Amino acid sequence: MNLFIEQKDKILTAGYAPAPFMLDYRKKLSIATLANYLVHTAELHADRNGFGVEKLQSKKHSWVLIRLAIELKRAIHGNSNLHISTWVDKIFGITTLRCYQIAQDDEVIGYASSVWSAIDLEKRSPVRMTEIFPDKNIEVTFEHSIEAPQKLPSFSPFKYGLPFEVGYSSMDINKHFNSMRYIERCFDILPLEEALPETGFCKRAVMNFNKEALHGERLVAGYCKDAVNDSLYHLSITRVDEPETVLFAIDYYR
C-alpha cells in the first residue's frame, strides 16, 4: 500500500499510489479514500513511536477517531503519487490533536486535522492521555493552515437515503461501524451532478464521529443544503429508531 515510509523530527511521511479502484467516477480520489489514507498514516506514526493500536490493545485499550477536518486547494487525481505527512500537535486530558500535510506533484495541496481519544475496550470509557503518553515529547510545532475540527451544529435533514444494517464487512477492529463507511454512506445520498459534479471537488469537509454503531443496528443517512451558503451540505447518520441521536455528522463544502 505504501510506496515509502520515513520519519524525521517526529513527523512521519508516507507515500501512496492511488489505484483505479480507489478513484470515483470523476477519476478523483474520494474524501472517504483520502480519510482512510490519513487514518492509515496516523497508525503508521503511532506504531513507530510506541503508541500504536497493537500496543494499546495489549492493555485492552484502542484509539477512536472523534473529529476530522480536511481542506484541499484542488482535487486529488489518480495520475501521480500522494505524500501524506502527520504529527502530534497537542496532547490534552483525554484527547490528542493530530495534524496532516497533503502533497501531490511536489505541491502542498491541503491540510487535515483530527481529534483522537483512547478508550478502554472493556469499560467502553475514555482513557487519560497520561496513560498513553507518559510525557509530551512527541508533540511537534509545525506551521500549518488548518484549525482543529469543531463540534458541528445540529440540523433537520431534508432528504433521507435508504436504511441499512451494520454487517460484518462494515465493522472495524473495535467491533463497531467503520468510520470510513459513515463518509461513504453520506456521500452516496447526495445528488450527483449538483453536489459532486465532474468539474468540482471537495474544498473542505468537517466530520464528527459522535457515537458508535454496533453489529445489527439499522442506520439511515440524511442531508440538507445550507440556508445561506449554496456550496455547503449538512449530512448525518442516525439510528432508524433514534432519529434524534446523531452518530455521525459531516459538513461538506463543494
Side-chain angles (χ1 to χ4, degrees):
M1 184 178 185
N2 294 104
L3 298 173
F4 69 88
I5 304 168
E6 60 183 27
Q7 181 168 316
K8 183 179 179 180
D9 298 330
K10 305 173 189 175
I11 299 175
L12 181 140
T13 301
Y16 299 89
F21 69 86
M22 297 175 179
L23 306 178
D24 64 16
Y25 85 101
R26 303 170 296 181
K27 299 180 181 179
K28 299 171 182 176
L29 198 73
S30 70
I31 288 299
T33 302
L34 175 58
N36 195 42
Y37 281 166
L38 296 172
V39 169
H40 181 66
T41 309
E43 291 170 348
L44 293 172
H45 181 266
D47 285 340
R48 286 216 170 184
N49 292 279
F51 49 92
V53 171
E54 188 173 337
K55 178 74 173 290
L56 265 65
Q57 289 194 333
S58 68
K59 301 178 181 180
K60 305 295 184 184
H61 299 160
S62 191
W63 286 111
V64 174
L65 179 59
I66 305 298
R67 295 174 188 166
L68 175 64
I70 299 171
E71 291 184 358
L72 295 174
K73 298 177 184 177
R74 64 164 173 81
I76 299 173
H77 58 74
N79 299 328
S80 59
N81 300 331
L82 190 67
H83 295 172
I84 297 176
S85 301
T86 187
W87 62 94
V88 174
D89 190 85
K90 295 290 182 192
I91 298 171
F92 303 102
I94 58 172
T95 61
T96 181
L97 175 64
R98 174 180 287 280
C99 296
Y100 312 79
Q101 179 180 276
I102 304 160
Q104 190 176 44
D105 301 323
D106 298 320
E107 174 194 7
V108 175
I109 61 170
Y111 290 94
S113 63
S114 58
V115 176
W116 294 78
S117 175
I119 62 166
D120 185 305
L121 292 172
E122 294 180 342
K123 298 177 182 178
R124 312 305 287 185
S125 58
V127 175
R128 294 200 64 81
M129 288 295 108
T130 50
E131 293 188 38
I132 311 300
F133 306 99
D135 53 55
K136 294 188 176 183
N137 65 359
I138 193 65
E139 290 180 334
V140 173
T141 300
F142 185 87
E143 185 177 348
H144 56 89
S145 61
I146 186 169
E147 297 179 352
Q150 302 300 313
K151 182 177 180 180
L152 296 174
S154 59
F155 71 96
S156 298
F158 167 75
K159 185 177 180 180
Y160 288 94
L162 295 174
F164 60 94
E165 188 171 298
V166 178
Y168 160 78
S169 64
S170 59
M171 294 170 63
D172 63 15
I173 60 174
N174 292 327
K175 297 183 179 180
H176 60 210
F177 192 57
N178 189 298
S179 299
M180 302 307 106
R181 294 300 181 92
Y182 279 123
I183 305 170
E184 292 172 345
R185 285 288 183 172
C186 280
F187 275 83
D188 278 348
I189 67 169
L190 286 173
L192 201 62
E193 294 302 325
E194 175 192 315
L196 301 163
E198 288 198 44
T199 56
F201 70 98
C202 178
K203 297 178 177 64
R204 176 175 167 84
V206 181
M207 306 162 218
N208 288 185
F209 302 86
N210 297 328
K211 295 180 180 293
E212 63 182 2
L214 304 177
H215 183 264
E217 290 190 321
R218 298 184 71 243
L219 312 179
V220 64
Y223 83 92
C224 73
K225 289 186 71 171
D226 189 79
V228 178
N229 187 343
D230 194 52
S231 297
L232 171 59
Y233 293 80
H234 306 287
L235 303 103
S236 67
I237 290 182
T238 63
R239 294 187 181 92
V240 170
D241 56 355
E242 293 181 37
E244 71 284 352
T245 303
V246 177
L247 307 180
F248 170 77
I250 176 172
D251 274 4
Y252 158 65
Y253 299 77
R254 63 172 173 82

